[in-house]
């Protein structure tokens, strides 16, 4: 599969580390050029170097919900690598923990803005600049919190439920030229999710039939499949990547 994405360019948001960077690594290994985003230029520069340098990757710093930033990223992807065939909406925030009724409404609005509305905007930018005329594939990174209650991070889960529904709606609207799918991971060992398992990893993993937490590569492989021609008859679907967690069958 070394050339599965040869000649294609992928835009991956929030890819200076964690799941986003693992997705970028997988796509580069399979022949793609990647444009990665994040808020910190230094972290992006390190990620680009890890991906093989300027011949394989471009980093563009900015805020994911900033429409000017989105325009710049899409434009630079096309100018630098010649296309914008693939899009992975990976950026997400979860700045609070606690009950829904204690949540500041402004914080709730910001979660929806970053986790949902910005993803929709990214799809629109890619569609207008490239995919509408040439086709493409989109994967939105959701969460198991979007398919079952997520106490303590309920607004994050609600935003991911919205993202899953947006995935289905976009698949209907943009087919047949553009496929839109999602992945819904459970707890993956990243800095973003560290508060959910640090200091009690074995206890948390005991609830998973596979008895371990995820690692970024577990999600990256599924995302690569959904972006590839191997999934050419798959759209509007959310693949759960959870070590069996949502089966609810752990002893």
């Amino acid at each position: 599969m070394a050339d599965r994405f040869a000649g294609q360019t992928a835009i991956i948001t929030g890819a200076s580390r964690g799941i986003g960077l693992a997705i970028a690594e997988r796509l580069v290994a399979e022949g793609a050029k990647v444009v990665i985003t994040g808020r910190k230029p230094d972290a992006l520069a390190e990620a680009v170097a890890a991906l093989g340098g300027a011949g394989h990757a471009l980093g563009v710093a900015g805020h994911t919900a900033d429409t000017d930033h989105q325009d710049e990223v899409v434009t630079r992807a096309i100018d630098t690598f010649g296309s914008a065939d693939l899009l992975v909406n990976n950026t997400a925030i979860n700045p609070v923990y606690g009950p829904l009724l204690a949540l500041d409404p402004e914080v709730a609005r910001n979660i929806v803005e970053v986790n949902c509305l910005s993803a929709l905007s990214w799809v629109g930018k890619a569609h207008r600049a490239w995919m509408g005329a040439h086709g493409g594939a989109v994967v939105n990174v959701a969460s198991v919190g979007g398919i079952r209650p997520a106490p303590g991070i309920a607004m994050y889960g609600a935003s991911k439920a919205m993202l899953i529904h947006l995935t289905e709606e976009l698949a209907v609207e943009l087919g047949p030229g553009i496929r839109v799918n999602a992945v819904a991971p459970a707890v993956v060992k990243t800095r973003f999710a560290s508060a959910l398992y640090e200091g009690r990893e074995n206890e948390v993993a005991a609830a998973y039939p596979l008895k371990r937490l995820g690692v970024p590569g577990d999600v990256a492989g599924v995302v690569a499949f959904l972006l590839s021609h191997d999934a050419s008859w798959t759209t509007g679907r959310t693949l759960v990547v959870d070590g069996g967690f949502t089966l609810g069958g752990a002893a």
Side-chain angles (χ1 to χ4, degrees):
M1 295 189 294
D3 296 324
R4 186 158 63 161
F5 297 107
Q8 298 185 64
T9 305
I11 295 170
I12 309 160
T13 70
S16 62
R17 56 183 170 88
I19 291 173
L21 181 56
I23 293 168
E25 290 171 339
R26 180 63 179 262
L27 297 185
V28 167
E30 296 189 23
K33 308 297 185 184
V34 298
V35 180
I36 60 174
T37 77
R39 288 176 297 170
K40 299 179 180 180
D42 290 347
L44 279 175
E46 292 178 6
V48 167
L51 292 167
H56 300 278
L58 170 68
V60 184
H63 192 288
T64 194
D66 181 347
T67 56
D68 289 338
H69 168 64
Q70 296 167 5
D71 284 330
E72 179 189 6
V73 171
V74 175
T75 297
R76 291 185 66 184
I78 296 169
D79 289 348
T80 304
F81 296 126
S83 63
D85 313 279
L86 312 171
L87 171 64
V88 180
N89 283 307
N90 173 66
T91 303
I93 60 169
N94 181 40
V96 293
Y97 185 89
L100 271 174
L101 293 183
L103 184 61
D104 184 327
E106 288 302 315
V107 174
R109 290 187 187 96
N110 193 39
I111 291 172
V112 172
E113 175 70 26
V114 172
N115 295 2
C116 300
L117 300 183
S118 70
L120 179 61
S121 183
W122 278 103
V123 174
K125 302 286 187 182
H127 177 268
R128 287 187 288 275
W130 185 265
M131 291 187 187
H134 303 277
V138 177
V139 172
N140 297 318
V141 179
S143 167
V144 295
I147 59 177
R148 61 181 291 170
I153 57 170
M155 196 64 212
Y156 173 81
S159 74
K160 293 300 189 177
M162 181 179 178
L163 184 60
I164 288 169
H165 190 77
L166 286 174
T167 298
E168 295 171 353
E169 296 284 1
L170 287 168
V172 172
E173 292 188 11
L174 299 181
I178 303 170
R179 296 182 302 103
V180 187
N181 291 289
V183 291
V187 176
V188 176
K189 293 168 64 175
T190 64
R191 190 185 309 173
F192 179 81
S194 60
L196 300 176
Y197 68 87
E198 269 191 349
R200 56 192 187 96
E201 182 177 335
N202 290 338
E203 176 186 348
V204 175
Y208 291 64
L210 293 186
K211 302 305 180 189
R212 70 172 177 88
L213 301 183
V215 295
D218 292 323
V219 181
V222 178
V223 171
F225 162 71
L226 288 172
L227 291 172
S228 77
H229 184 73
D230 293 329
S232 62
W233 208 43
T234 302
T235 196
R237 299 303 175 193
T238 297
L239 294 192
V240 176
V241 189
D242 71 343
F245 175 71
T246 54
L247 297 173

